[in-house]
Amino acid sequence: MSADLALSCPMPLGRHTTVQLAHGGGGRLMRQLLEDIFLEDFRAPALAERHDSAVVPLGGQRLAFTTDSYVVMPRFFPGGNIGTLAVHGTVNDLAMAGAKPLYLSAGFILEEGLALDELRRVVASMREAARECGVEIVTGDTKVVDRGKADGLFINTSGVGRVLEGVSVHPRRVTPGDAVLVSGDVGRHGIAVLSVREGLAFDTPVVSDCASLAPLVEALFEAGVEVHCLRDTTRGGLATALNEIALDAGVGLVVDEPAVPVDASVAGACELLGLDPLYVACEGRMVAFVPEPQVERALEVLVRHPLGAGAARIGRVTEGPAGMVSLRTRLGGQRLLDLLSGEQLPRIC
Amino acid sequence: MRYVEEYRGADEARRYARALQSLVTRPWTLMEVCGGQTHAIVRFGIDQLLPPQITLLHGPGCPVCVTPVEMLDKALAIASRPGVVFCSFGDMLRVPGSGRDLLSVKAAGGDVRIVYSPMDALALAERLPEREVVFFAVGFETTAPACAMAVHEARRRGLRNFSLLVAHVLVPPAMEALLAAPGRRMDGFLAAGHVCTIMGMEAYEPLARAYRVPIVVTGFEPLDLLQGIHMCVAQLESGRATVENQYARAVRVVGNESAQAMLREVFEVVPRTWRGIGPIAASGLGLRAAFADWDAARKFDVVSVGGREDAGCQSGLVLQGRLKPPECPAFGTRCTPDTPLGATMVSSEGACAAYYRYRRFQSPCPPTSP
């Protein structure tokens, strides 16, 4: 080989000049997109707080306000559909700000040719989900676009809620010494959707965890638990949520890998596909940052609730380095639990 | 998770670490050949458990990393054509050719799809008779039989709108190239278990004999790797150099003979250029003349634009075990997964990607802000 030895590498790609799918993946590229374009131009103080909801004053009260769009494919999956997701996702973003969700809007972008029966099923699911969450869908909008201009059905929901009296949850409140709790096993939603989308059949079907977290949050505050910050572990999964908080709070996090609950069927599917369950999306799980003396009480409250039955303490907040999340592996080693640079892609072999 | 968790026990791992400690009397350097093993080592911190005398080198075992730029350029050219559905395993999508990758082609309107098996691409060809479905056949001996089966089936079913862009490579010739190169650094090899599941172990015997090097066929879980390392060091300490099988639960000496028969029917051994390493004789697989109609390179008659290279990238040295990723001056600064100089930084089995993702805090470079 020596005579033929040649070192060859390509030129750097540089920054992307067009939007890539990975810009929506919740990882490093998405954060870059938000910083370079949206935060740079909109510049509102509430936006710069990078909370799941903006918290703004209104008539002597604090209003939580949020919006989210839902483009999931397939639209129906074990444990929910695009409609239940659109209600629960926005309700959860309000709950993560310590708010009681009150009112939602619903905007629909419909592609020419979508079966009306399917639309009816989605809307009925939204009505039912809203009823369960104790919120009202009070306004909306509908647009129809030409065939091929949208993937059947996109939904946007916005929501407002009232921040609970005396409650202040926020990334800036996260301090070294806080414990990191997770409300249940992670990765279910992403694997449930993937299993339908790719036609993968597992011995035990994986059902999405899609659910409203508002009752769980309310239970914590009703029990008087002091909570510094909450974050739902949606796009990019647990690892991304932890990285976001570490970056925004300017702290380090140490996570204990064996303590992170992962259902055996989810773990098995991830092994098969070469995915890391810590980066797979959830739609009914959150992380909570609580001061050490509150840990026992917080876990008691969480595990008593059906949505938090699998709650666990998974790590702690450290002085730094700021923004660094490290993972103690099950073998006792230590590694980085980083933001992904793109979407997770199934491996080759 | 049965059959996985039992290969990840912390107590057993510590027992192996202690056994190695009492076994080793002098420094030894071992090379794991498979990128999946590299990632497991770095992800689980296996190297952190080893006695300081044992050094692990990462070898050329990432099929994505060693696919030459020219082949990537052909893939990009085919994927950009109207009427083509270009299918690939997920890993390949972010790997740069001459200045762009398959994800960029997709963003620009190309129909690029991730599939989990070449048979999925074949099914797509059946569903979309008006489109040309091309599968990017990348990988070692592990993925090649499924590609061979897909082409075999395409011919049997008379599917003319399906083809393979073949970039398969073979592991033993690459190991021999590394052993024959001057300044050889590895004392023993952990051979890739999955490859041997298909091909068996016979191809490694001449290497072990000719180069006096122990080769232990090893699996991918932490305890597999620790046991493989223990077996390799035990050979070295006792002056032996043979082929041993740690991965006996999956690997038979003769391998999978029906898969080998399928490979022989569809493919022939050809010379192949390895990205970052260079040409290696008889180190690749190409479609036999009888299957030329399903050869995408012929069907689309694409020519390489000649890969543009960055002189600052040292991934060739990384692939040969001559450099650890953090030792590269560009690691984590000029070269990141967002601005990769080489495929080793973006492939999910690349050594640079493993160190960037799991060990960046141990390199001289601070973590980059997003």
Side-chain angles (χ1 to χ4, degrees), chain A residues 9-10 271 336 338 346-347, chain B residues 8 91 309 313 341 358 360:
Chain A
C9 300
E271 279 295 324
L336 209 58
D338 202 9
R347 67 171 167 221
Chain B
R8 293 183 178 175
D91 293 43
E309 312 292 357
C313 176
L341 299 188
Y358 299 132
R360 206 158 71 253

Side-chain angles (χ1 to χ4, degrees), chain A residues 48-102:
Chain A
E49 295 283 331
R50 296 169 178 249
H51 211 353
D52 278 347
S53 293
V55 175
V56 290
L58 191 76
Q61 294 197 322
R62 288 176 302 154
L63 188 76
F65 179 31
T66 190
T67 188
D68 212 337
S69 299
Y70 299 85
V71 297
V72 64
M73 182 55 73
R75 290 184 284 276
F76 290 81
F77 47 81
N81 62 55
I82 190 171
T84 54
L85 209 57
V87 171
H88 290 147
T90 293
V91 161
N92 287 348
D93 281 345
L94 294 170
M96 293 305 103
K100 180 173 177 50
L102 295 172

